Amino acid sequence: MSKATPWETVSEHACFGGLQRFHRHTSAVVGLPMRFALYLPPQALEGAKVPLLVFLAGLTCSEETFTMKAGAQRVAAELGLALLMPDTSPRGAGVAGEADAWDFGVGAGFYLDATQAPWSRHWRMESYLLTELLPQVWAQAPVQRERTGIAGHSMGGHGALTLALRHPGVFGSLSALAPICAPSLCAWGQKAFTGYLGEDRADWVDHDASLLMQGAQKAPYPGGILIDQGQGDKFLADGQLLPEAFEAACASAGQPLTLRRHAGYDHGYYFIASVIEDHLRHHAAQLA
C-alpha cells in the first residue's frame, strides 16, 4: 500500500440525502495529481459503514462524467451504496502524444500499468487503483472493504472485467456496460496494448478479459456477471467491443453471465442512464 496523501475536497454537493464530493490528491504511484469523485449515501452520513461500488469510466471521460450524467445517486441512496468514480487517466505528464489520448488510443489510461517508455513512468492506473486509491478510501471513508464491487463502461468496462479477474477476492461483484471485451482483437486495444505493453502479444493476455476468462479454472463470480450492450452502438458494429468473445469465454469456464442486448441504444450516457439502476441493484444484492 502506498503512503497516504491528504485529500483536497474540490467541491461538495448535497444529493438525495447524501453527499457528492469531488477530491484531488497527489498520487505517489502515478507521480501526478489525480482526481476522483465519491458519493456517500445518507446511511453513511448517519454513521453506518456501507458497501462500495467502484465505477470506471471510458475513453474521453473523467471522474465527472458518470457522476454527473448517469443519475446513479438516487438509487445508490436508496440502497445505501457508496460510489467511487476515479479519473480515467493521468493528465499533464507532458508526454509527446498525450494530447492524442482522446483519439481512442494510447494516452487514455486503460486501467493497466504500462511497461513501455514513455508511458511507463505515469501510466500506472492498475497500481494506482489497487494499491493506492482503494486502500485509502477503505481506510478513510465510511465504507466496507469486504463489500466492494466494480463496474465500468467501454474502456472502463474493460478495466472492471480485467481488474476483477486479475485480483480475485478484492471485488465481490462485477458488471459492465458496453465493455471492450477482447482488446487483443480490436483496433482500440491493439493500439493501446502496443503502446503500453509492447508488440509481444503474450504480454497482452493478462489484460484481455476474454482471454483471462478462457484461462479460468472455475467460475470466478458464481453469483453471475451482468453486462448490458446497446445494439445501436456504432462501436459494436465496428468490431471494437466484441461481447460475443466474452460470452463464449464465460460459457467455456462455466461462468454465469447475463448479457442483455438492447435494440436501438447507442454507446452513450442515455443508454447508461436507462440501465444503471439494474446494475446498482445487481451489486447491492451480491454485496449484501
Side-chain angles (χ1 to χ4, degrees):
M1 175 176 166
S2 297
K3 183 179 179 180
T5 56
W7 300 350
E8 175 188 354
T9 300
V10 178
S11 64
E12 179 178 283
H13 314 273
C15 186
F16 292 103
L19 281 177
Q20 179 61 65
R21 291 171 169 158
F22 291 89
H23 297 286
R24 178 168 52 213
H25 69 148
T26 299
S27 167
V29 170
V30 175
L32 294 167
M34 294 293 292
R35 304 191 303 255
F36 63 95
L38 180 65
Y39 176 71
L40 296 177
Q43 296 86 341
L45 303 185
E46 293 164 2
K49 295 193 75 170
V50 299
L52 174 67
L53 176 62
V54 182
F55 191 91
L56 306 180
L59 288 155
T60 79
C61 296
S62 73
E63 78 286 354
E64 294 183 335
T65 314
F66 177 85
T67 308
M68 293 183 173
K69 291 184 176 182
Q73 292 92 339
R74 176 184 62 82
V75 178
E78 174 196 333
L79 297 173
L81 189 63
L83 304 174
L84 173 63
M85 287 72 63
D87 199 356
T88 62
S89 313
R91 299 178 190 271
V95 173
E98 181 185 352
D100 298 326
W102 316 122
D103 187 26
F104 305 105
V106 284
F110 259 84
Y111 303 104
L112 51 73
D113 289 356
T115 61
Q116 305 297 303
W119 310 104
S120 55
R121 180 177 179 185
H122 299 293
W123 270 252
R124 306 187 66 225
M125 289 300 295
E126 180 173 8
S127 289
Y128 168 66
L129 292 171
L130 270 296
T131 71
E132 185 172 25
L133 181 60
L134 264 172
Q136 290 183 23
V137 171
W138 287 327
Q140 299 180 46
V143 299
Q144 297 175 309
R145 178 176 187 151
E146 68 278 9
R147 298 173 69 194
T148 298
I150 191 167
H153 168 237
S154 191
M155 179 185 75
H158 143 78
L161 295 174
T162 57
L163 294 181
L165 295 174
R166 282 172 53 76
H167 299 276
V170 175
F171 302 104
S173 56
L174 173 60
S175 75
L177 301 99
I180 303 172
C181 289
S184 297
L185 300 179
C186 74
W188 286 352
Q190 290 166 356
K191 182 176 180 181
F193 282 4
T194 300
Y196 293 148
L197 303 174
E199 296 184 358
D200 186 348
R201 291 188 172 229
D203 295 330
W204 299 5
V205 173
D206 287 342
H207 300 280
D208 185 304
S210 296
L211 296 177
L212 286 168
M213 185 61 76
Q214 284 178 18
Q217 300 301 308
K218 62 179 182 178
Y221 285 88
I225 298 170
L226 173 62
I227 292 180
D228 279 300
Q229 176 61 61
Q231 293 298 89
D233 188 328
K234 66 179 182 179
F235 301 120
L236 177 69
D238 288 345
Q240 299 285 12
L241 305 179
L242 301 171
E244 64 275 11
F246 190 71
E247 184 177 35
C250 286
S252 68
Q255 168 61 53
L257 171 69
T258 300
L259 173 54
R260 306 191 302 183
R261 295 173 168 91
H262 303 266
Y265 284 88
D266 62 20
H267 197 69
Y269 269 80
Y270 295 113
F271 168 56
I272 293 175
S274 298
V275 299
I276 193 59
E277 179 170 348
D278 292 343
H279 285 255
L280 297 180
R281 295 192 184 280
H282 164 85
H283 288 276
Q286 294 206 6
L287 298 173

